[in-house]
Amino acid sequence: MSDHIVPHFHNDPGVAVIEIGAHEFQCVGAKPPFDHPHVFLDMGADKEIICPYCSTLYRHDPNLDPHEARPAACALTEAV
């Protein structure tokens, strides 16, 4: 279960694309202590967005829960 109201995602695995179930979320870059400033991203009506800090491409997948990601390891579930 997530400790975040706004979903948080990271790219520790270094994948090219992270599919997520949320349109509004925070990218933390990597897990602490290697995270970047936690940036709020809003896709709006778009299906993709690139984090301006770490260049991770996030793609919306409506089949996922708002706190889920593919790969699943990219969903940050612990408090930061």
Side-chain angles (χ1 to χ4, degrees):
M1 184 170 166
S2 175
D3 292 327
H4 304 109
I5 294 172
V6 175
H8 289 54
F9 300 101
H10 65 86
N11 194 3
D12 269 5
V15 296
V17 178
I18 299 174
E19 296 177 326
I20 60 174
H23 275 275
E24 298 175 351
F25 62 98
Q26 286 193 4
C27 177
V28 303
K31 286 184 177 176
F34 304 108
D35 50 335
H36 63 51
H38 300 184
V39 58
F40 180 82
L41 299 172
D42 183 353
M43 291 185 201
D46 294 336
K47 295 183 186 265
E48 295 181 339
I49 194 166
I50 296 174
C51 174
Y53 280 95
C54 64
S55 302
T56 296
L57 173 63
Y58 288 95
R59 182 174 295 142
H60 182 253
D61 182 343
N63 297 314
L64 295 172
D65 176 87
H67 291 271
E68 287 182 320
R70 189 176 303 120
C74 294
L76 187 63
T77 55
E78 63 267 13
V80 288

